Amino acid sequence: MSIAEKFMTMEYGPAPEDPKEAQAWLDRHGHRFVHFINGEWQAPAAGEYFETLDPSNGEKLASVAQGSPADVDAAVRAARAAFPKWRALTPHVRARYLYALARLVQKHSRLLAVLETMDNGKPIRESRDIDIPLVARHFYHHAGWAQLLEQEFPEYEPCGVVGQIIPWNFPLLMAAWKIAPALATGNTVVLKPAEFTPLSALAFAELCQEAGLPAGVVNIVTGDGSTGEALVKHSDVDKIAFTGSTEVGRAIRSATAATPKRLSLELGGKSPFIIFDDADLDSAVEGLVDGIWFNQGQVCCAGSRLLMQESIAENLIAKIRDRMSSLRVGLPLDKAIDIGAIVARVQLERIQRMVGQGIADGATCWQPQVALPARGFYYPPTLLSNVHPTSIVAQQEIFGPVLAAMTFRTPKEAVELANNTVYGLAACVWSENINVALHVASQLKAGVVWVNCTNLFDASCGFGGYRESGYGREGGREGLLEYLQPTWFKNAPNLPAARPPAVPQTTEEPRAGTPAIDRTVKLYIGGKQARPDSGYSMEVRSPDGRLLGEASLGNRKDIRNAVEAARKAEAWAKATAHNRAQVLYYCAENLSQRREEIVRGLAAVVGAKQAAAELDLSVERIFSYAAWADKFDGAVHNPPFRNIAIAMNESLGTVGIICPTEAPLLGFLSLVLPAIAVGNTVIAVPSEAYPLIAADLYQLFDTSDLPGGAVNIVTGYASQLLKTLAEHDDVDAIWSFGDEANAAAAKAMSVGNLKQVWTNEGRAIDWFDPKLAEGRWFLEHATQVKNIWVPYGE
């Protein structure tokens, strides 16, 4: 037998990692753990514990405290007490603490890696070579942000006490993703690790003690979903950061809707793995191994939907099967295995159930002949081919080592199939033609796109999703902003509660004694004036009770028509930033020419002085966003790999805007302008105090070359129109600027589809102060960042 033949027939022998240090750590704690609160170890108030198991054999590792509302309250009170002193530290001192944590993670890296594998079931190679180094990287990177905070974010402040809830698939890495930016920006933290995998977070608590972190800055309360629920609902928590399932994300959005809590959600995914016929197929297959069988497929951004160009499907499937046959499944502490254990029996049963449903839906199942360990929770790598795009295995997250394969013919069809999901977390594109790869990447509804690579992460590059994969980002500058807010905003006074809507009047039967109205203010939909579907109008009166006119009373059908028009206005979204800027400059020019006429009408409601100020500032504001249109750029990150990551500021899509009452013209333009400047299309509900301004606005847009449908105006009662906008699946975001009830309603009504919601939390904004009412804060809410990773070099 030749040397080559011997090499091909060699079997990998076991290479077990010695767990004695981790076992000794467990022994020192008596295999029993309590909460970490206010810098100390505290027993659970209710005296209850639960077991955490080793997925590789099903055996008990330790008993862990079950957190109660009392425990959560103690942790929140400790974090609140620690917040003023932690926030008051100089940036340099906070940076030194984060640097110390990074060094300690490296110092104890082997223990942390082994402990993570024992508690989670992932292969030790992944814990040792990927997870723990990235944990250290996040603390190093954010030590730098802490040092630079006052220079880079001079008018921002921390949110306060942050509640963080993390999943079980990357326990310590997810903790680092959340704790590092929170501490760097001056917040204090209450962390709730996953019930299945609490041990590495508790080990991290010891590192906090070793680093001398002030008591109460980081608190860790263990427990099940009820513990997380108590943290979400606690009245003294200022922000919730959650990573987990979309179902739980909806529950958190609902629970926080009536509060001013900031919220960031990193949720599920059903990521497409797109392979074109010109791709390097061997490299693509290796990428696919990392895309779906990394961490047993228990990855929110796993490339679980394989989209193959039809001409290469047969050849590619054969290569995938050959590679699957070489994957080694076994004990996670064996350094020679590729796939470890599923985290828990309940997750294993879910995978089995969903694969069974996929087969029932018509998919063909193929699994390699691989021996699974007799004990523990294991599932073989699985390929489902001939999958219909509507099958459960193509639409729902399996969270296991299961690949669903489909074919496409053209790049356009690939994009349509890729976007045919409620999720939008990540995607992969494989093609040797960089034009094809980047063209497709730009069209994918995903927060991260890897080109000819997969599952690359770095602290400098934001990660997060579109649509029902959540909103907000982890990592990078955009991730840091999740833990900051403008200094002026938190203490802004509340607006008075809005009055209930009046009884509508018909336009056909005006009341006796009212003056004749020489024009009817219609709706503005798709670039045309439109009568309301209801046939009703709403009275508009001056502060002294004079009838100024009547505006159309829009309803659900009018909103639906406006959304349809906005979705069709693709020309605006695809226009160059330069062209959008020119249209906005033209708007300013036309508004300025109609100054006297508009001021005269507006003065009847807000007075001559405010009316003049609103118009003059509106012209300036249009100029500002015309200027920003081609300058609110993304960035190019240089992560420590052979890649660049292109961070692109993309429009949200279609935005529903409830405009403020108090500044009918300036408030409208202050919200609509940043949205359209970056390429969004808009359905705007103007001020109820003076909806007649709509007539002036649609004449302005008509004469300024704004494409039909880019801005649609539906007059009516905000409280009624908001519901339709919030519940509409083709509206990508809601901006609602009214009283507290209005803000709460916007968040509560959008739970079903988890659209992005931005409100003033019922607080007053001085629309006349450009430091508060225009600029980056608005543009950041008008965009979402897509990171496209591109490899380079040989």
Side-chain angles (χ1 to χ4, degrees):
M1 182 180 291
S2 68
I3 293 176
E5 289 172 326
K6 289 180 179 179
F7 179 79
M8 295 301 294
T9 57
M10 281 196 303
E11 293 290 335
Y12 281 87
E17 174 76 29
D18 190 347
K20 65 180 181 181
E21 292 298 329
Q23 290 288 2
W25 182 81
L26 291 168
D27 291 340
R28 286 198 300 274
H29 288 274
H31 293 257
R32 190 177 181 89
F33 294 88
V34 296
H35 306 305
F36 181 68
I37 298 174
N38 202 31
E40 300 176 344
W41 298 98
Q42 298 187 18
E48 296 180 0
Y49 292 80
F50 63 92
E51 294 182 351
T52 181
L53 306 179
D54 183 340
S56 70
N57 54 31
E59 295 180 359
K60 174 183 173 181
L61 284 173
S63 295
V64 182
Q66 168 60 40
S68 66
D71 299 317
V72 169
D73 183 63
V76 172
R77 282 189 285 108
R80 178 60 65 193
F83 173 61
K85 291 183 180 179
W86 178 251
R87 176 189 175 186
L89 292 177
T90 66
H92 176 65
V93 172
R94 281 203 302 272
R96 290 177 68 126
Y97 277 116
L98 269 75
Y99 178 79
L101 288 170
R103 296 287 287 172
L104 287 169
V105 167
Q106 290 181 316
K107 177 180 177 181
H108 298 283
S109 61
R110 201 65 165 211
L111 168 64
L112 294 171
V114 174
L115 194 62
E116 195 83 320
T117 287
M118 291 171 64
D119 205 19
N120 171 273
K122 64 175 60 188
I124 183 62
R125 288 189 298 117
E126 294 176 8
S127 299
R128 180 196 65 199
D129 300 340
I130 299 174
D131 290 24
I132 304 306
L134 273 175
V135 170
R137 165 68 174 153
H138 271 267
F139 281 101
Y140 277 129
H141 180 77
H142 286 93
W145 273 125
Q147 181 76 28
L148 301 174
L149 193 69
E150 290 184 355
Q151 300 173 46
E152 290 296 304
F153 302 93
E155 296 181 1
Y156 281 76
E157 67 175 33
C159 296
V161 174
V162 178
Q164 300 178 326
I165 302 172
I166 58 174
W168 44 258
N169 55 341
F170 294 92
L172 191 56
L173 182 55
M174 292 295 100
W177 277 23
K178 287 180 165 50
I179 292 175
L183 298 192
T185 48
N187 299 277
T188 54
V189 166
V190 178
L191 179 79
K192 206 291 284 185
E195 179 183 4
F196 292 147
T197 54
L199 296 183
S200 56
L202 295 168
F204 178 77
E206 292 186 336
L207 302 190
C208 292
Q209 289 181 310
E210 191 173 345
L213 200 68
V217 171
V218 170
N219 305 271
I220 298 175
V221 180
T222 53
D224 58 14
S226 65
T227 311
E229 182 180 8
L231 181 58
V232 166
K233 293 182 176 179
H234 198 288
S235 60
D236 203 24
V237 171
D238 300 296
K239 173 183 168 62
I240 294 292
F242 171 77
T243 297
S245 72
T246 297
E247 180 183 6
V248 176
R250 284 196 183 93
I252 293 174
R253 170 77 285 175
S254 180
T256 59
T259 74
K261 286 187 176 75
R262 291 278 302 279
L263 182 62
S264 52
L265 301 172
E266 196 262 281
L267 307 177
K270 195 68 182 173
S271 301
F273 196 102
I274 306 170
I275 303 180
F276 286 93
D277 57 7
D278 66 343
D280 179 339
L281 296 190
D282 292 328
S283 295
V285 169
E286 289 307 308
L288 190 60
V289 169
D290 288 337
I292 183 58
W293 293 300
F294 170 61
N295 198 27
Q296 298 73 254
Q298 298 170 136
V299 184
C300 54
C301 56
S304 56
R305 287 188 298 146
L306 172 61
L307 306 181
M308 313 168 284
Q309 199 149 20
E310 198 173 79
S311 59
I312 59 168
E314 185 176 349
N315 185 27
L316 182 60
I317 289 293
K319 287 179 176 288
I320 292 170
R321 286 184 175 184
D322 285 345
R323 186 64 178 89
M324 289 172 68
S325 297
S326 69
L327 294 173
R328 300 175 299 279
V329 182
L331 297 176
L333 283 175
D334 184 346
K335 293 186 283 288
I337 67 102
D338 300 299
I339 298 177
I342 303 300
V343 72
R345 183 177 300 280
V346 65
Q347 180 62 20
L348 176 61
E349 292 172 349
R350 171 182 166 80
I351 296 168
Q352 294 168 336
R353 186 169 60 252
M354 292 196 69
V355 169
Q357 182 62 54
I359 295 171
D361 288 344
T364 300
C365 180
W366 189 87
Q367 296 172 331
Q369 297 298 313
V370 57
L372 303 180
R375 301 169 62 211
F377 315 126
Y378 295 89
Y379 197 81
T382 300
L383 172 63
L384 296 175
S385 54
N386 301 317
V387 173
H388 192 277
T390 61
S391 171
I392 188 172
V393 293
Q395 290 296 320
Q396 293 189 22
E397 191 174 34
I398 299 174
F399 228 61
V402 181
L403 178 64
M406 293 159 275
T407 61
F408 66 88
R409 293 183 179 180
T410 65
K412 180 180 179 182
E413 185 182 0
V415 171
E416 290 175 350
L417 283 170
N419 290 337
N420 181 34
T421 172
V422 297
Y423 299 111
L425 188 54
C428 286
V429 181
W430 289 77
S431 172
E432 290 297 286
N433 187 328
I434 194 65
N435 292 327
V436 170
L438 293 180
H439 179 64
V440 169
S442 69
Q443 298 176 75
L444 296 176
K445 300 296 184 183
V448 179
V449 181
W450 293 290
V451 174
N452 294 333
C453 56
T454 190
N455 274 348
L456 294 178
F457 308 94
D458 186 61
S460 66
C461 305
F463 180 86
Y466 290 11
R467 303 192 289 195
E468 291 188 23
S469 287
Y471 43 81
R473 293 293 183 266
E474 314 256 15
R477 184 185 183 93
E478 57 267 37
L480 210 69
L481 282 168
E482 297 295 332
Y483 294 93
L484 292 167
Q485 61 186 343
T487 301
W488 64 267
F489 182 67
K490 191 169 186 177
N491 298 317
N494 285 345
L495 289 167
R499 294 176 298 176
V503 177
Q505 302 294 320
T506 64
T507 55
E508 297 175 358
E509 300 178 6
R511 293 186 304 171
T514 58
I517 300 173
D518 58 2
R519 75 175 176 183
T520 301
V521 175
K522 299 178 183 177
L523 310 179
Y524 184 61
I525 296 175
K528 298 178 181 179
Q529 298 180 48
R531 295 186 182 276
D533 174 71
S534 68
Y536 286 100
S537 65
M538 57 191 292
E539 290 184 345
V540 181
R541 293 184 177 272
S542 65
D544 61 7
R546 288 182 296 115
L547 182 65
L548 301 176
E550 294 184 351
S552 295
L553 191 62
N555 65 9
R556 293 180 62 186
K557 185 174 180 181
D558 299 314
I559 290 290
R560 291 199 301 268
N561 291 340
V563 173
E564 183 178 353
R567 301 300 283 193
K568 290 180 179 178
E570 296 179 353
W572 183 250
K574 294 179 179 179
T576 66
H578 171 75
N579 286 343
R580 290 197 299 270
Q582 300 312 300
V583 171
L584 293 183
Y585 280 126
Y586 198 14
C587 286
E589 179 183 336
N590 287 330
L591 181 62
S592 181
Q593 290 177 356
R594 298 184 56 210
R595 184 181 190 281
E596 291 185 9
E597 171 193 353
I598 296 175
V599 167
R600 187 165 56 248
L602 190 58
V605 175
V606 300
K609 182 178 181 181
Q610 179 176 326
E614 281 199 46
L615 192 134
D616 292 339
L617 279 171
S618 291
V619 172
E620 288 189 31
R621 200 137 297 166
I622 297 174
F623 258 73
S624 291
Y625 285 111
W628 273 115
D630 60 358
K631 298 173 186 65
F632 191 64
D633 293 328
V636 177
H637 299 305
N638 186 25
F641 307 109
R642 193 173 51 84
N643 297 77
I644 59 170
I646 307 167
M648 299 175 60
N649 288 333
E650 291 196 338
S651 59
L652 302 174
T654 298
V655 182
I657 300 179
I658 306 298
C659 298
T661 297
E662 60 272 23
L665 176 63
L666 185 59
F668 181 102
L669 292 174
S670 294
L671 293 177
V672 170
L673 288 169
I676 64 174
V678 294
N680 295 288
T681 56
V682 165
I683 301 98
V685 179
S687 166
E688 287 185 24
Y690 189 59
L692 301 180
I693 195 67
D696 298 308
L697 290 166
Y698 58 61
Q699 291 179 46
L700 171 67
F701 296 139
D702 274 345
T703 57
S704 302
D705 295 340
L706 187 73
V711 174
N712 305 273
I713 304 172
V714 181
T715 55
Y717 299 121
S719 59
Q720 297 173 1
L721 299 177
L722 173 59
K723 184 176 189 295
T724 305
L725 280 169
E727 293 177 350
H728 201 299
D729 285 341
D730 271 346
V731 174
D732 299 292
I734 290 289
W735 293 5
S736 188
F737 282 66
D739 62 12
E740 284 186 88
N742 177 282
K747 290 180 279 187
M749 292 172 182
S750 63
V751 167
N753 47 32
L754 282 174
K755 58 170 54 72
Q756 295 193 37
V757 179
W758 183 37
T759 82
N760 60 332
E761 302 297 349
R763 298 167 189 163
I765 294 177
D766 184 355
W767 299 105
F768 298 87
D769 186 345
K771 292 183 178 179
L772 312 184
E774 72 172 57
R776 283 189 174 272
W777 192 50
F778 290 80
L779 292 162
E780 284 157 359
H781 284 92
T783 54
Q784 50 195 350
V785 180
K786 174 190 285 183
N787 275 275
I788 301 177
W789 290 68
V790 183
Y792 62 83
E794 294 295 331

